[in-house]
Amino acid sequence: MASRTDRLLDWLSSRLNLTEIFSLLTSYGLFYAELDNRKPLRRALREALARPTLSYSRWPRVLGLMVVVLIAVEVVTGGLLALYYLPTPEAAHASLGTISRDVQFGWLMHQIHFWGAQVLIAVLLVRVLRFFVGGVYRAPRELVWVFAVLLLLVCFHLDLTGRALPMTAAAYWSTVRALEIVAAVPIYGSLLLFLLGGDPALVSDLALIRLYVLHVAVLPVAAVALIYLHFSSVRRLGLSVAGKEEPRVVGAGALKTHLANLAIVLTLLFGVVVTLAVLAPVHLQAQADPFATVPGVGPPWYLLAPFGFLEATAGFLPRGLAGLVLFLLFSALVALPFLWRGRAAGRPLVSWVTGALVVALWLALTFYGRGQA
């Protein structure tokens, strides 16, 4: 005899396409199997659980779930901060002070929002590197790679657009240093600076408003859309490396294990972010003065390598030409599946050695850029 829950699901399924609604979860990593949208939810779930399927709660596939959880943390904490934040140069700093001092747990939400963004970018970098070393960019998974890299770039911009919003001295001049790097990049840099008012050395009233709109509306929508497309492609094609089949799970017991592992991931991530927020808080500094440069402030940590490249090549390359090199390198990163199709792309050793060299060069330029800041 059907339970009350089953009868309720059947009643709703006759009036709504619950299967199609629930299948959205499969595109954000929260359920690990594809559903047949043409069938009632209970039947579609039974069939999905009966198929041997790869779970996202096992390393290294869990990195995708970590991205979803961290973006959810950013959306929730950012929404709470937006209730009190005033996006004008005159009021932004004072509103952040109100959040930090007067709003109950406001300081914690601000710190979690900041550190959640840094952990998110780190996880995305590790995930893209894992895709490269594992050869996930090879056919037929070209779009899996493209969406993953684009998501990384969107999250770079999410952090960058939010960096100036507190209007503290360090945040302001870190944003200016980042915009100076952007200004060196042809086409892209010109478009972004035009959108922000044209002067990378001045975050004006209009620029702050536009940074705020990009940060809370445009870029989050782009990130959610890319996650949807990315996971949809992964659901269809999988992430298994050729010749190395991953263990598959099946049955209701596997679903319980998946949900339990998801809860563990959520707890651990939240614990890491809260620990960083409490033990390494970003203190509220003096209000920014656009006419008083703060020495020793560099661009965000993920832009130190491009900054180091621009500084290292300043003696023999025009800044515009060095910016063009950066533009071509990032474009090649996105288009990698369509550029590297030969035998070398199919050799694991080549991927490992190339990945190690790229990481070593990135770290070297990062340390050099840090020294030049």
Side-chain angles (χ1 to χ4, degrees), residues 92-94 96-98 100-101 110-111 166-168 281-286:
H93 186 268
L96 185 62
T98 299
S100 301
R101 291 188 299 265
H110 175 235
Q111 299 299 330
M167 288 302 287
T168 61
V282 179
H283 299 290
L284 182 62
Q285 300 173 335

Side-chain angles (χ1 to χ4, degrees), residues 7 12 31 94 128 150 216 237-238 251 272 281 323 325 334 338-339:
R7 290 196 300 271
L12 289 173
F31 184 68
V128 168
L150 289 178
V216 303
L237 300 170
V272 168
V325 172
V334 176
F338 311 102
L339 299 176

Side-chain angles (χ1 to χ4, degrees), residues 222-244:
V224 171
L226 284 170
I227 291 175
Y228 175 82
L229 293 171
H230 176 69
F231 272 95
S232 296
S233 183
V234 169
R235 288 284 183 250
R236 180 57 53 90
L237 300 170
L239 291 175
S240 298
V241 178
K244 183 181 178 181

Side-chain angles (χ1 to χ4, degrees), residues 304-320:
L304 283 173
F307 175 69
F309 174 78
L310 291 175
E311 292 297 309
T313 57
F316 58 90
L317 273 183
R319 195 170 181 85

Side-chain angles (χ1 to χ4, degrees), residues 199-327:
D199 187 358
L202 179 64
V203 180
S204 62
D205 297 27
L206 183 60
L208 187 65
I209 289 290
R210 291 179 176 180
L211 285 170
Y212 181 70
V213 171
L214 287 171
H215 185 71
V216 303
V218 179
L219 292 173
V221 170
V224 171
L226 284 170
I227 291 175
Y228 175 82
L229 293 171
H230 176 69
F231 272 95
S232 296
S233 183
V234 169
R235 288 284 183 250
R236 180 57 53 90
L237 300 170
L239 291 175
S240 298
V241 178
K244 183 181 178 181
E245 188 65 23
E246 299 180 26
R248 294 175 178 266
V249 297
V250 63
L255 176 59
K256 293 178 181 178
T257 301
H258 174 81
L259 294 176
N261 289 341
L262 178 59
I264 293 172
V265 170
L266 177 62
T267 303
L268 289 176
L269 274 178
F270 195 71
V272 168
V273 173
V274 171
T275 300
L276 289 170
V278 173
L279 298 183
V282 179
H283 299 290
L284 182 62
Q285 300 173 335
Q287 186 169 357
D289 182 355
F291 304 103
T293 305
V294 178
V297 176
W301 62 271
Y302 49 84
L303 288 180
L304 283 173
F307 175 69
F309 174 78
L310 291 175
E311 292 297 309
T313 57
F316 58 90
L317 273 183
R319 195 170 181 85
L321 185 56
L324 177 61
V325 172
L326 289 176
F327 179 78

